[in-house]
Amino acid sequence: MFWFKLRPTFVIEIRSTRPVAIEKLREASAQLNKKNSFTMYGEYGELHLPPEEHRLWSPHLSFYVAEREPDSLIHGRFAPRLDVWTFVWIVYLAMSFSAFFGLALAYSQWMLGEPLWGLWVAVIGVAIIFALTLVAAIGQQWSADQMHALRSRLEDILRSTELLKPNTSP
């Protein structure tokens, strides 16, 4: 499944040291912050879509300014909104536990010579995990336009603060 990553990432080279880049981004955040769409928290920043553009699988973009001599890097990562991301991981965790304990129950039933209905619990848990992963992949494809828009906004911000290297493509 190389075409799908649960949280797609990218790296952008910038032409500045880390402290200068953080300061420029903090200043840009103060100037551009409309409806909390761009916020800096130290060396970490986030870009959000306006609430009227939210869909179920709408992403947000978080990024980190990393040091690399002589310049720095922006490590960006897309993820679903926090409420959706939390729900997805609660389901993954619950189904993982269900699958594990279903297998443990099935093993106990097998050792006792009883019917293996615990195996169905494990199979259903694993099936739900695969189904949720498939739904996440489809949702990610539906929100590809929003991921491109967020990445373009980040590159526009980097360009306006003169941090983006000239050879970096938009």
Side-chain angles (χ1 to χ4, degrees):
M1 293 177 101
F2 295 109
W3 54 272
F4 170 68
K5 289 184 177 182
L6 201 53
R7 295 181 65 193
T9 60
F10 61 90
V11 174
I12 299 175
E13 292 184 22
I14 57 176
R15 59 175 173 187
S16 179
T17 62
R18 185 171 182 250
V20 171
I22 292 169
E23 187 56 37
K24 284 184 176 184
L25 288 169
R26 189 173 295 139
E27 290 171 7
S29 172
Q31 292 173 356
L32 301 174
N33 194 4
K34 298 173 186 163
K35 298 181 185 177
N36 296 324
S37 63
F38 173 44
T39 311
M40 285 295 293
Y41 307 99
E43 67 272 355
Y44 171 80
E46 290 186 352
L47 280 168
H48 296 271
L49 293 166
E52 59 271 7
E53 293 182 25
H54 283 185
R55 301 186 294 234
L56 179 62
W57 291 104
S58 289
H60 78 275
L61 170 59
S62 59
F63 63 90
Y64 176 77
V65 182
E67 186 72 51
R68 189 183 83 175
E69 294 297 328
D71 296 326
S72 300
L73 300 171
I74 299 284
H75 289 276
R77 175 170 284 161
F78 294 102
R81 292 187 328 269
L82 190 57
D83 52 345
V84 173
W85 187 243
T86 303
F87 173 75
V88 166
W89 279 106
I90 287 172
V91 172
Y92 276 137
L93 188 61
M95 292 304 107
S96 297
F97 279 122
S98 297
F100 175 77
F101 288 112
L103 286 173
L105 177 62
Y107 179 73
S108 298
Q109 291 169 332
W110 176 70
M111 294 294 287
L112 294 171
E114 297 292 322
L116 301 179
W117 61 266
L119 193 58
W120 284 106
V121 174
V123 169
I124 290 170
V126 170
I128 290 173
I129 288 172
F130 282 121
L132 185 57
T133 302
L134 179 63
V135 168
I138 292 168
Q140 191 177 95
Q141 298 304 312
W142 285 346
S143 295
D145 61 326
Q146 292 180 329
M147 287 192 292
H148 291 297
L150 286 170
R151 169 109 184 229
S152 293
R153 280 180 50 206
L154 176 61
E155 289 176 353
D156 289 344
I157 291 167
L158 293 173
R159 207 172 282 112
S160 72
T161 56
E162 299 177 353
L163 292 173
L164 191 64
K165 287 192 172 184
N167 61 354
T168 306
S169 61

